[in-house]
Amino acid sequence: LVNDLLMILPGLAPLCIPISKTGKQSRDFPKMVEAGFGSQNHILMFPAGLCSRRRNGKIEDIDWKKTFITKSVETKRDVVPIHFGGQNSNFFYRMANFSDRFLPFNLAMLFLVDEMYKNVHKTFRVSIGKPIPWQTFDKSKTPMEWAQFVKEQVYKL
């Protein structure tokens, strides 16, 4: 599940389910999501829905959405925590903070493709944690609380 602006990158489109961040969502979007979760393919999600932000000198995600928890339980799919140790440019983080504070839309997202191209041929640390069985996400916490629990596990990686 990715921002539809990233679909212009060669080779990415066949692997992704585009999420429209600038206009109307495709009528096929719910079907594509259900087909993705109903398949045997792995699903990568960015549970915050946005790129990380730099706040007080620290790069961190905003609160994660609960969708990956509810879909995990609904489709009986385990969650594999993955931490990607990359970072965007200072320009991107300044633009994101400006946009979040003063604009009614996410201007920084227009620079996502540029940020990806700036990192061609660079090396990143990717940490993969132990799978969390879908049965873990019981009624002892709300789906939102479970999402924050998984976020904490990812940040420990």
Side-chain angles (χ1 to χ4, degrees):
L1 296 164
V2 301
N3 183 317
D4 62 344
L5 293 174
L6 294 177
M7 300 305 277
I8 67 169
L9 294 173
L12 197 57
L15 303 173
C16 299
I17 299 171
I19 300 172
S20 176
K21 295 290 194 173
T22 56
K24 281 190 165 185
Q25 198 63 263
S26 161
R27 286 184 195 188
D28 294 333
F29 180 71
K31 290 178 189 170
M32 290 188 292
V33 170
E34 292 307 315
F37 277 97
S39 75
Q40 294 298 311
N41 297 325
H42 296 289
I43 305 286
L44 295 175
M45 292 184 71
F46 299 89
L50 294 171
C51 288
S52 297
R53 299 297 197 243
R54 182 181 292 149
R55 303 274 196 249
N56 301 317
K58 185 177 180 183
I59 297 170
E60 190 173 36
D61 287 344
I62 61 172
D63 283 345
W64 286 10
K65 309 290 187 265
K66 65 180 182 177
T67 305
F68 77 102
I69 298 294
T70 57
K71 285 295 188 186
S72 169
V73 172
E74 178 185 315
T75 59
K76 299 181 176 166
R77 294 178 73 131
D78 296 344
V79 171
V80 179
I82 299 175
H83 183 269
F84 187 87
Q87 94 178 33
N88 291 310
S89 68
N90 287 330
F91 169 80
F92 180 86
Y93 292 117
R94 284 192 304 271
M95 179 65 66
N97 286 339
F98 174 83
S99 176
D100 292 348
R101 202 162 169 202
F102 298 110
L103 300 176
F105 60 93
N106 182 2
L107 181 62
M109 77 177 168
L110 299 177
F111 295 92
L112 282 175
V113 173
D114 187 50
E115 290 295 314
M116 289 182 75
Y117 277 114
K118 285 179 185 177
N119 288 293
V120 169
H121 304 298
K122 291 189 179 177
T123 302
F124 300 94
R125 182 173 183 267
V126 178
S127 302
I128 303 172
K130 292 181 181 177
I132 303 171
W134 65 269
Q135 296 93 331
T136 303
F137 310 123
D138 59 20
K139 302 285 185 200
S140 66
K141 297 180 184 188
T142 67
M144 193 62 153
E145 289 170 332
W146 279 120
Q148 299 319 306
F149 167 81
V150 175
K151 179 182 176 182
E152 292 167 12
Q153 300 307 305
V154 168
Y155 274 80
K156 288 178 184 177
L157 295 174

